Amino acid sequence: EKKKKIIDWVADEGLHGRRTLAVATKELSAEEYDNAQDESSLSFIGCVSFVDPIKKSTIGAIQQAIDLNISIKILTGDSKEVAGNVACEVGLAKNPNEAMLARDLFLLPYEEQMLALERINVFARVSPEEKYKIISLLQKKYQVGFLGEGINDAPALKIANVAIVVESASDIAREAADIILLESSLDVVVGGIREGRQIFANTIKYIRSSLSSNFGNFYAVAISSLFIPFLPMLPLQILLVNLLSDFPAIAIATDTVDQDELREPQQYNIRKIIMFGTVLGIVSTVFDFITFAYFSKIGETALQTNWFIVSILTEILFLYSIRTRKLFFKTRAPSLPLMSLSIIAIIATVTIPFTSFGQSMFGFVAPTVHEMTVIGIIVLTYIITTEIVKLVYYRLSNNQSA
C-alpha cells in the first residue's frame, strides 16, 4: 500500500511537470565504501520533487518552428508524465497524454511506427539505443537535426544529419557535434534556420535578376546590331548601366522575404533558374526592340540616351517584381537599404543625361518631355507585362511539379 502511494505521488508530480528523485541510505564500513558497487538493501527515506524550468524563449521558438514548417520532437529519458506535461506547456502537444513511451513505439509494426513518428511529438523513457533508432526512422523521410548534451546522446548525435550540442555538453557529445551552441537556447537553432532560408531566397533573387537582365540585353544588342548601322549603346554607357543597375542589387542581401518562401527548405534548381531567366529575358528583349524601333528614328544619341534610361529603370523595377511569386505590391515591404539605393539609382539615371558631365563624358543628350513620356509608358507597360508573365510562369511550373 505504501509503495503504491509513493508511485502514485511520483506520477502526480510528473503530471505537474516536476521530476522526482528517490533518496535512500546504506551503512558501509570503510573497506566496503572503497568498493561500493552494490545498491541493494538500501533504506528508503523519501522522494524529492523539483522543477527543471522551461526557458522563456522556448515557447516562442517552437511557434517560429511551426511557422517555418519545422517539426520538433522531444526524445527524453524522463517519465511519460513529465515529458507529456513539458510538451503540452511548450505547445508540442494538446494534452499530456499525447506522450508515448519508446518501448511502446517499437512494439508496433514498421508502418505504424512511421505513422506514430509523424503524429506524436514527444517520446519518454527513451534509451540511447532507442534515440538512435528513432532518428534512423525519421531519416528515411526527413533531414534530421539532433540537439543533445550528455554522453548517452553520442550515438544519436553521430547518426543525425546535423548534430548540435550546447557549450556545456560532455566531451564525447562535443566531439560528435557539427555545431556547438554558445548560447543554450532553442531560439538560436530556429533563428539559424530562418536566417539560412532568408539568405538562400535573397541569393536566388539576385541570380534571377542578373540572369534575366543580362539575357535580355544580350539578345537585344546582338539582334539589333543586324538592323541598325550604329551601336545601340556605347561601351562607357554600358558600364554605367551595370554600375547603376547593380547599385540597388547589392542591397538584396538585406531584403525581406515572404513567409511562404520560408516555410520550406529550398534547393538550387539550375534548370528552373535558367528557364526563368530565359522567359523573363525574352520579355525584356521585346521591350528593348520597342525602344529601338521608336527612338532609332530620332537619332543615334537619342536612342543611346533613352535606352540607357529605359534599361536601368526596367531592371530596378524588375528587381521588385521577382521579390515574390505574388503581385509585387502584395508582398512584404522591401528593406530600407534596397529602397534607398533604388531611389538613388533612379534619380541618378534620370538626372545624368541632363547634366553637362553626362553629355560630355558619356555622350548623352537631354531627352525631351515627349521622350520622357514615352519612356514612362514603356517602363509602365514593361512592369505590367512582367508581372503577368511571372504569374503565368509560376502557375505553369507549379502544375508541372505537381
Side-chain angles (χ1 to χ4, degrees), residues 23 42 217 219 269 297 333 377:
V23 181
L42 299 174
N217 291 338
Y219 298 147
N269 188 318
K297 300 175 183 177
I377 294 172

Side-chain angles (χ1 to χ4, degrees), residues 105-106 110 113-114 117 132-142:
L105 172 68
F106 291 106
Y110 173 78
Q113 287 180 20
M114 298 303 292
L117 285 172
Y132 184 95
K133 289 180 179 179
I134 289 173
I135 291 175
S136 298
L137 290 173
L138 288 170
Q139 284 177 323
K140 295 182 182 299
K141 190 174 180 181
Y142 302 103

